[in-house]
């Protein structure tokens, strides 16, 4: 559930310098480690870790073997089996890189090994065959988030090979069901807490940097607040019958009426401290254009719904002004030649922090009407989470790493994440989590997480290893 | 897939004067032939010819034995193997009664099917594959669909032969064993066996039939002369998808939803056929001066009166009789609850008026669906020319039914909204007439495909008399 990389924090109105294509800038990772990184990335992508495919143990072994080969003792490598969705037997991997002389409490590094379903017929290429093409790596998981798994693992292995000794334990936690119901993170934050207890955590599931199509840096957002993830089902029932004699009422049409209402619906706009800071900065960047003016109007008067609507309608700001709910799946009927007895849509909501999922359900039920029942997904009940106070050491470490790779124009700013990730389960249980991965892309062309022909610039993969090296050195050295 | 005429006829506003309970009236079939045909019916019902149970061969061989025992030469009997449902072995049965006094007329073909729809012991009050006679009824799976047709036509031929009847044209019999599933037996008959089965027309014992009210009023008897065309279409919307935390304005599910909302509002142009003109003329007589009766008269008087056609179509008794109907029956969309859908697809099931072309139907659906939806026909298009209302067949049917049930019995030509084996023969130029005269009490006995299927014993016996009447009339004069 990776947040999109486009955060548009750069110097749009002032960035007039001729920009270089960031994909063509040489990486700072040396060629020997490029080869190792590429090989691990290829192997990781080619394990189709979609739910219910039973591939997670293979993936956990692949990552565990890297740590093992670098000298982490067997006793500190834990493969934790658990059941995610009903019948989905999966595993989490927990690795502890011990400090010989710890002076600080441990630090957690979060990632997930599973990927969203990708159907061969929908893609141009086989999503589970790793490809390199025109400066990109392609395949399911290249941006969400086997890149983060590979970058954090390779950075640790590289530092170990150089003899780096952390001054705090670094705990790597890779879950096996982040994309489905987050059971691994729930267990990691509770039952397995003796293995994961940490002062704070860094989540590699959420890159922060991006460039626009003119190659201007758009900035890097570190999420300190996140929307609550909750899926609802819209369900219509009907007695059905023989399709040669259609009835006036039809479960599919009842559902499509409700979806039409959902499509047109807009939730009430809201502001919080994080987004107020974000829009204040953005308004300055946008200057006097229409978007900048709308942002200023809204900041001056949070009840100016029209201004908020204008902001929300901008593709770069989607989801930042309010709760959003969107239909993601459909299922109806039981035979081609029978009237449907059931029609169901999956509606995925990203709920503004502070709003209760129950209230969203009531609002959805209101617009769906009496013929369609709205119920929450029993497999995943969203937990509203408190914002994590931003730590100066984390902000400093991330800013240094980001600017070492992208230059000072790439600003780092606290933001609200519209997605939810494993981080929310740890936040809810008292471990502050910051999404600080160093991967990046061209916005919006490379925003393909969960979508078709997912990809990542080759340089972004390699530089991410360098990024995590710098962060480990800064926060544990 | 037998659609009894019952459902079409229950609304009769002016049924005939109440008479005695039709179930308890004596049959016109002589007692010795009642005993013989009951034994045949029992044997047939107790072979569970459900798809997948491997009983089709036994059923065909049993039929062959009966035909040989009743005077058919072994060389006039054939069993043709083919693949049926899910590749199982299926068998069609063929028998020829060569003309004893050839008149030069082409043969008459009689069709019916031996297979039955699944029936589970646990769901029924009685064992569905044990022949039971109780309170004037025969019970068992297939007693009304369509073993009464197979045994009714066979017993009629056996008795005619025993009585010394000399047909003036060949009488061909062709019974299939996968009508309820694939229809491959009928395809074989209309294809590879076209020369063997070459006939002037076919009489279908799987269509037609009558209905009585419990108080004895005859609701009428239907002769089926046309079948609507069955055709599925896939409607597909595609999109590049993306992350559900950032909904896009363009969206595969909403594109499909909008198209389906248009489909739910769309009404195809009404069209009157020769059959529907005769049907609504007869039905208008039954309906009297009710609103429905008036609408029927208005439409018959002026086939351009679409408003009248709409009023007819809106009656649940007449759904599908005035025009092509297409209805959404299945939906599928999306690939993950937290991803914007890349694909959304609906199955649209159409029952098109005879004479409809694939190109015409496709173009109309494309216009409804709009440019964002791809419309693809699913499965081969099977055109269905209506069979011309032949005076000889209609008269023979009318005379026979009225000789059994009185001169005032309504005779109603009609078009099936469903499909039978007859469709395949119509396609290759052999007109088909559904001329069964078995009947039941409406709606109590409408149990084809359902639970505790049954037929009044008298209806079974009288149907044998009826088929003798038809054959004497059409092959003896």
């Amino acid at each position: 559930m990776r947040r999109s990389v486009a955060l548009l924090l750069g110097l749009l109105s002032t960035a007039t310098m001729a920009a270089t294509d960031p994909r063509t800038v040489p990486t700072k990772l040396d060629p020997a480690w490029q080869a190792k990184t590429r090989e691990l990335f290829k192997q990781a992508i080619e394990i189709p870790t979609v739910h219910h495919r039973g591939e997670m143990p293979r993936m956990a072994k692949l990552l565990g073997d890297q740590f093992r080969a670098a000298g982490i003792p067997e006793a500190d490598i834990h493969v934790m089996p658990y059941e995610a969705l009903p019948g989905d037997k999966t595993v989490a991997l927990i690795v502890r890189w011990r400090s010989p002389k710890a002076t600080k409490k441990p630090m957690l590094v979060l990632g997930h090994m599973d990927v969203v379903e990708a159907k061969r017929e929908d893609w141009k290429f086989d999503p589970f065959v790793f490809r390199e093409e025109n400066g990109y790596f392609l395949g399911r998981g290249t941006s969400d988030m086997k890149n983060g798994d590979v970058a954090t693992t390779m950075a640790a292995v590289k530092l170990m090979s150089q003899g780096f000794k952390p001054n705090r334990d670094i705990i790597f936690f890779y879950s096996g069901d982040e994309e489905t119901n987050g059971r691994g993170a729930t267990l990691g934050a509770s039952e397995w807490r003796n293995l994961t207890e940490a002062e704070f955590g860094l989540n590699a599931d959420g890159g922060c940097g991006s460039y626009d199509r003119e190659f201007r840096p758009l900035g890097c957002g570190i999420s300190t607040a996140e929307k609550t993830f909750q899926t609802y089902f819209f369900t219509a029932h009907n007695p059905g019958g023989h399709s040669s004699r259609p009835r006036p009422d039809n479960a599919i049409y009842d559902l499509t009426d409700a979806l039409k209402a959902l499509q047109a619906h807009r939730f009430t706009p809201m502001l919080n401290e994080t987004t107020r800071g974000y829009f204040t900065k953005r308004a300055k960047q946008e200057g006097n254009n229409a978007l900048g003016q709308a942002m200023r109007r809204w900041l001056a008067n949070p009840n100016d719904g029209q201004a908020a609507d204008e902001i929300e309608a901008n593709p770069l700001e989607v989801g930042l002004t309010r709760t959003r709910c969107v239909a993601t799946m459909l299922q109806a009927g039981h035979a081609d030649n029978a009237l449907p007895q059931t029609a169901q849509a999956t509606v995925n909501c990203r709920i503004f922090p502070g709003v209760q999922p129950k209230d969203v359900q009531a609002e959805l039920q209101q617009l769906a009407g009496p013929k369609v029942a709205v119920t929450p997904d029993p497999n995943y009940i969203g937990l509203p989470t408190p914002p994590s106070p931003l730590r100066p050491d984390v902000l400093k470490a991330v800013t240094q790493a980001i600017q070492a790779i992208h230059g000072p124009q790439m600003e780092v700013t606290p933001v609200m994440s519209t997605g939810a990730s494993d981080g929310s389960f740890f936040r809810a249980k008292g471990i502050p989590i910051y999404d600080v991965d160093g991967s990046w892309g061209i916005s919006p062309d490379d925003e393909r997480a969960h979508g078709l022909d997912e990809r990542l610039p080759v340089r972004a993969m390699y530089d991410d290893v360098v990024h995590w090296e710098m962060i480990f050195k800064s926060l544990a050295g | 897939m037998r659609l009894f005429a019952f459902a079409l006829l229950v609304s009769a506003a002016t049924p005939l004067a109440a008479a005695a309970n039709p179930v308890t009236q004596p049959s016109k079939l002589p007692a010795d032939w009642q005993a013989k045909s009951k034994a045949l019916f029992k044997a047939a019902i107790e072979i569970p010819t459900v798809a997948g149970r491997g009983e089709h061969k036994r059923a065909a061989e049993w039929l062959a034995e009966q035909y040989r025992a009743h005077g058919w030469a072994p060389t006039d009997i054939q069993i043709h193997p083919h693949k049926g449902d899910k590749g199982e072995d299926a068998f069609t049965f063929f028998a020829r009664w060569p003309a004893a006094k050839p008149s030069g007329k082409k043969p008459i073909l009689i069709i019916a099917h031996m297979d039955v729809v699944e029936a589970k012991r646990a769901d029924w009050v009685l064992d569905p594959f044990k022949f039971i006679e109780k309170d004037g009824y025969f019970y068992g799976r297939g007693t009304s669909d369509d073993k009464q047709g197979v045994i009714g036509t066979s017993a009629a031929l056996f008795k005619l032969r025993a009585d010394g009847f000399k047909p003036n044209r060949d009488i061909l019999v062709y019974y299939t064993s996968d009508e309820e599933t694939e229809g491959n037996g009928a395809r074989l008959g209309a294809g590879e066996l076209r020369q063997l089965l070459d006939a002037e027309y076919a009489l279908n014992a799987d269509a037609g039939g009558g209905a009585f009210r419990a108080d004895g009023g005859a609701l009428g008897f239907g002769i089926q002369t046309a079948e609507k065309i069955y055709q599925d279409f896939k409607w597909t919307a595609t999109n590049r998808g993306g992350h559900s935390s950032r909904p896009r304005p363009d969206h595969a599910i909403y594109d499909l939803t909008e198209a389906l909302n248009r489909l739910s509002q769309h009404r195809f142009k009404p069209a009157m056929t020769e059959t529907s003109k005769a049907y609504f003329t007869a039905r208008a007589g039954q309906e009297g001066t009710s609103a429905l009766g008036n609408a029927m008269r208005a439409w018959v008087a002026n086939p351009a009166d679409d408003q009248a056609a709409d009023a007819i179509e809106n009656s649940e008794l007449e759904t599908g009789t005035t025009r092509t109907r297409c209805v959404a029956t299945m939906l599928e969309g999306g690939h993950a609850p937290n991803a914007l859908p890349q694909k959304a697809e609906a199955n649209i099931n159409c029952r098109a008026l005879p004479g409809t072309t694939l190109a015409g139907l496709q173009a109309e659906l494309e216009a409804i669906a709009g440019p964002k939806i791809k419309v693809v026909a699913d499965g081969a298009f099977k055109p269905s020319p209506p069979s011309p209302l032949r005076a000889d067949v209609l008269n023979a049917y009318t005379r026979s039914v009225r000789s059994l049930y009185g001169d005032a019995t309504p005779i109603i030509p009609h078009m099936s909204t469903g499909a039978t084996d007859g469709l395949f023969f119509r396609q290759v130029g052999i007109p088909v007439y559904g001329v069964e005269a078995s009947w039941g009490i409406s709606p109590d006995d409408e149990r084809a495909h359902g639970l505790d299927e049954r037929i009044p014993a008298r209806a079974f016996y009288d149907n044998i008399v009826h088929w003798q009447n038809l054959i004497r009339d059409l092959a003896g004069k």
Side-chain angles (χ1 to χ4, degrees):
Chain A
M1 298 176 199
R2 179 191 180 82
R3 184 188 67 245
S4 163
V5 292
L7 285 157
L8 200 76
L9 289 164
L11 311 165
L12 272 189
S13 53
T14 55
T16 50
M17 70 285 266
T20 314
D21 182 345
R23 294 167 295 195
T24 63
V25 173
T27 173
K28 290 185 160 56
L29 188 66
D30 73 61
W33 284 96
Q34 285 181 37
K36 286 179 195 181
T37 300
R38 189 184 192 284
E39 179 53 29
L40 180 60
F41 201 23
K42 175 180 194 304
Q43 289 184 41
I45 295 298
E46 295 190 345
I47 302 174
T49 49
V50 174
H51 63 86
H52 285 98
R53 291 206 198 176
E55 294 279 12
M56 220 57 73
R58 215 148 61 88
M59 181 68 188
K61 182 172 186 307
L62 176 66
L63 293 179
D65 283 348
Q66 312 304 313
F67 288 102
R68 207 169 273 123
I72 300 285
E74 209 56 49
D76 285 332
I77 301 175
H78 307 271
V79 175
M80 312 294 288
Y82 65 99
E83 188 175 16
L85 289 174
D88 180 26
K89 296 230 179 348
T90 190
V91 298
L93 174 68
I94 307 177
V95 176
R96 179 175 292 255
W97 180 10
R98 287 185 192 275
S99 163
K101 258 176 65 178
T103 57
K104 297 178 196 162
K105 283 178 74 179
M107 172 171 96
L108 190 59
V109 174
L110 294 181
H112 65 84
M113 302 182 288
D114 57 314
V115 294
V116 168
E117 178 62 281
K119 293 181 179 165
R120 176 64 192 91
E121 66 267 25
D122 296 339
W123 283 48
K124 278 193 208 112
F125 310 110
D126 187 333
F128 297 106
V129 172
F130 181 77
R131 301 171 67 88
E132 180 175 349
E133 230 175 61
N134 304 323
Y136 281 91
F137 290 127
L138 291 107
R140 175 55 98 216
T142 46
S143 79
D144 184 12
M145 61 145 283
K146 286 177 172 168
N147 57 322
D149 298 331
V150 168
T152 49
T153 300
M154 289 309 291
V157 166
K158 184 163 180 270
L159 286 172
M160 283 181 231
S161 77
Q162 293 163 356
F164 173 76
K165 307 280 184 217
N167 65 5
R168 66 198 323 163
D169 287 6
I170 302 178
I171 303 159
F172 297 85
F173 181 91
Y174 301 113
S175 68
D177 69 326
E178 194 269 350
E179 300 291 1
T180 50
N181 63 347
R183 177 93 186 122
T186 307
L187 290 166
S190 55
E191 278 179 43
W192 304 336
R193 190 66 174 257
N194 61 327
L195 296 174
T196 63
E197 185 59 47
E199 189 176 343
F200 65 93
L202 303 178
N203 192 354
D205 187 16
C208 71
S210 61
Y211 291 86
D212 69 8
R213 284 171 175 156
E214 278 84 50
F215 311 136
R216 291 174 299 190
L218 294 173
C220 162
I222 301 183
S223 60
T224 56
E226 71 183 359
K227 289 174 107 175
T228 308
F229 178 100
Q230 183 63 57
T231 294
Y232 298 92
F233 297 121
F234 279 33
T235 311
H237 292 290
N238 189 276
H242 203 287
S243 64
S244 66
R245 304 176 70 82
R247 308 159 48 92
D249 53 333
N250 178 312
I252 288 179
Y253 299 148
D254 288 344
L255 181 66
T256 57
D257 282 342
L259 291 177
K260 194 177 172 188
L262 173 68
Q263 183 185 7
H265 184 72
R266 294 292 174 268
F267 286 84
T268 307
M270 292 180 175
L271 269 173
N272 62 23
E273 281 320 298
T274 301
T275 58
R276 180 172 280 283
Y278 167 83
F279 283 117
T280 303
K281 196 160 202 168
R282 287 283 295 116
K284 278 189 200 127
Q285 291 170 350
E286 293 292 334
N288 250 338
N289 67 20
L291 184 58
Q293 287 178 24
M295 286 171 175
R296 265 188 296 280
R297 283 208 314 280
W298 192 38
L299 290 167
N301 175 13
N303 294 323
D304 186 347
Q306 210 183 344
D309 289 354
E310 274 180 54
I311 300 167
E312 184 70 25
N314 186 297
L316 296 166
E317 309 297 341
V318 177
L320 295 178
T321 72
R322 69 197 72 196
T323 295
R324 289 294 298 259
C325 295
V326 65
T328 56
M329 298 182 78
L330 283 180
Q331 185 76 49
H334 54 287
D336 286 344
N337 60 356
L339 299 174
Q341 288 164 357
T342 304
Q344 187 173 74
T346 302
V347 174
N348 185 242
C349 294
R350 310 297 176 131
I351 301 170
F352 204 81
V355 176
Q356 290 304 313
K358 256 192 206 157
D359 297 335
V360 173
Q361 183 181 343
E363 192 163 345
L364 291 175
Q365 183 65 69
Q366 179 82 23
L367 65 98
K371 290 179 189 163
V372 172
V374 177
T375 52
D377 176 3
N379 282 320
Y380 186 107
I381 299 300
L383 286 178
T385 58
S388 300
L390 189 55
R391 292 170 60 108
D393 56 346
V394 172
L395 181 62
K396 184 169 159 241
V398 175
T399 306
Q400 276 173 354
I402 290 287
Q403 296 189 344
I405 291 166
H406 299 285
Q409 297 87 353
M410 191 69 89
E411 271 191 72
V412 178
T413 309
V415 294
M416 175 181 74
S417 167
T418 56
S421 70
D422 275 350
S424 62
F425 297 94
F426 290 92
R427 278 196 187 111
K429 295 285 182 183
I431 301 181
I433 301 290
Y434 307 96
D435 298 351
V436 297
D437 192 52
S439 61
W440 52 269
I442 306 296
S443 179
D445 303 343
D446 295 346
E447 288 166 24
R448 301 181 180 193
H450 296 201
L452 291 179
D453 304 318
E454 185 179 342
R455 66 184 188 177
L456 182 76
V458 170
R459 183 190 156 214
M461 178 69 252
Y462 294 147
D463 276 355
D464 203 19
V465 178
V466 179
H467 170 83
W468 280 99
E469 263 187 83
M470 285 191 276
I471 286 183
F472 291 159
K473 278 190 190 159
S474 171
L475 292 170
Chain B
M1 192 186 286
R2 179 147 189 265
L3 270 179
F4 242 23
F6 296 178
L8 302 177
L9 300 167
V10 289
S11 79
T14 55
L16 299 181
N21 179 352
V23 176
T24 57
Q25 300 301 300
S27 165
K28 291 187 161 65
L29 188 69
D32 56 336
W33 276 93
Q34 287 190 24
K36 280 182 199 178
S37 59
K38 183 161 86 174
L40 290 171
F41 203 20
K42 177 179 193 307
I45 294 296
E46 294 189 351
I47 303 174
T49 47
V50 174
R53 295 208 194 176
E55 295 280 9
H56 302 310
K57 189 171 191 189
R58 185 153 74 98
E61 286 174 348
W62 175 81
L63 278 170
E65 198 185 311
Q66 305 315 310
Y67 273 78
R68 281 194 300 271
H70 287 90
W72 270 253
T75 49
D76 285 330
I77 295 169
Q78 299 177 16
I79 291 175
H80 291 273
H82 65 93
K83 293 295 174 193
D85 184 48
K86 299 186 177 77
E88 76 168 331
D89 290 327
F91 301 86
T92 63
F93 174 83
F94 167 83
R96 180 202 319 271
W97 186 356
K101 300 189 300 183
S103 58
K105 290 183 195 167
K106 282 180 80 175
I108 292 173
L109 173 64
I110 294 171
I111 59 172
H113 65 91
M114 272 298 278
D115 59 312
V116 294
V117 168
E118 179 62 279
K120 292 184 180 157
R121 178 64 192 92
D123 299 337
W124 283 46
V125 174
L126 304 164
D127 184 338
F129 296 105
K130 192 154 170 44
F131 181 79
I132 291 164
E133 180 172 6
K134 202 174 129 214
D135 303 330
Y137 279 89
F138 295 134
Y139 284 85
R141 174 55 95 217
T143 48
S144 77
D145 183 11
D146 174 48
K147 284 175 174 169
Q148 92 297 341
V150 171
I151 302 304
T153 51
S154 295
L157 293 170
F158 297 165
K159 183 166 189 301
L160 284 169
R161 197 151 194 164
D163 290 348
F165 174 70
K166 307 249 180 277
N168 62 13
R169 62 204 308 179
D170 285 8
I171 297 171
L172 313 177
V173 166
Y174 189 69
Y175 301 138
T176 59
S177 66
D178 69 336
E179 192 271 347
E180 298 289 1
T181 52
E182 294 297 309
N184 285 339
R187 276 194 189 88
L188 176 71
E192 231 174 282
L193 304 179
R194 176 74 177 77
Q195 288 312 309
L196 181 70
L197 302 185
D198 193 33
E200 190 172 353
Y201 53 84
L203 301 177
N204 189 355
D206 186 31
F212 282 84
R213 288 159 37 128
D215 68 5
L219 292 166
F221 280 74
I223 171 170
Q224 186 236 52
T225 60
E227 292 174 48
K228 283 179 111 175
I229 300 163
Y230 179 107
Q231 183 67 50
D232 285 310
F233 289 87
K234 299 294 178 203
W235 283 20
T236 310
T238 50
N239 188 276
R240 73 181 169 104
H243 202 292
S244 63
S245 66
R246 303 176 67 84
R248 307 159 50 84
D250 54 321
H251 186 280
I253 287 178
Y254 297 148
D255 287 347
L256 183 64
T257 297
E258 284 173 3
L260 292 175
N261 282 332
R262 283 193 293 275
L263 176 67
S264 75
Q265 299 303 317
H266 182 80
R267 292 293 172 270
F268 286 80
K269 180 98 181 127
M272 188 168 304
T273 63
E274 188 188 14
T275 296
S276 55
K277 185 169 183 179
Y279 171 77
F280 286 117
T281 303
R283 286 282 291 118
Q286 293 183 322
E287 291 293 333
T289 53
S290 69
L292 183 58
N294 290 339
M296 287 170 171
R297 259 183 302 280
W299 197 40
V300 168
N302 175 15
D305 186 347
D306 290 354
Q307 217 178 339
D310 289 353
I312 298 167
E313 184 70 25
N314 285 342
S315 158
E316 66 179 40
L317 295 169
E318 305 300 340
T319 308
T321 57
T322 69
R323 68 197 73 198
T324 294
R325 291 294 299 256
C326 294
V327 64
T329 57
M330 309 259 285
L331 286 181
E332 192 169 359
H335 54 291
N338 55 356
L340 298 175
Q342 287 157 7
K343 190 162 115 178
E345 187 168 89
N347 186 72
I348 309 302
N349 181 246
C350 291
R351 311 296 180 130
L353 282 181
T356 303
T357 62
L358 177 59
L361 188 54
Q362 168 100 23
E364 186 156 1
L365 289 178
E366 281 174 357
I368 301 164
K372 292 177 190 165
I373 306 291
K374 201 166 126 196
V375 175
V376 177
D378 185 35
F381 186 75
K382 302 186 282 272
S384 172
S387 299
L389 276 178
R390 287 179 67 109
D392 55 350
V393 175
L394 184 58
N395 291 340
Y397 184 77
T398 305
R399 275 196 293 272
S400 171
V401 168
R402 289 186 174 161
S403 75
L404 290 164
Y405 304 112
D407 285 345
T409 309
I411 303 296
I412 306 173
H414 70 97
M415 168 183 74
S416 289
T417 54
T420 70
D421 273 349
L423 181 71
F424 297 95
F425 294 98
R426 287 197 171 102
Q427 280 171 29
V428 297
I430 301 179
V432 179
Y433 301 93
V435 292
E436 263 286 276
S438 54
W439 50 267
I441 302 299
S442 180
D444 303 349
D445 296 347
E446 289 165 25
R447 301 180 181 195
H449 294 205
L451 296 180
D452 301 316
E453 185 178 343
R454 66 183 190 177
I455 187 173
R458 180 186 169 212
F460 171 74
Y461 294 138
D462 276 359
N463 192 40
I464 297 168
V465 178
H466 164 75
W467 277 96
Q468 292 177 67
N469 293 341
L470 285 182
I471 293 160
R472 280 185 187 280
D473 210 334
L474 295 168
K477 290 178 181 169

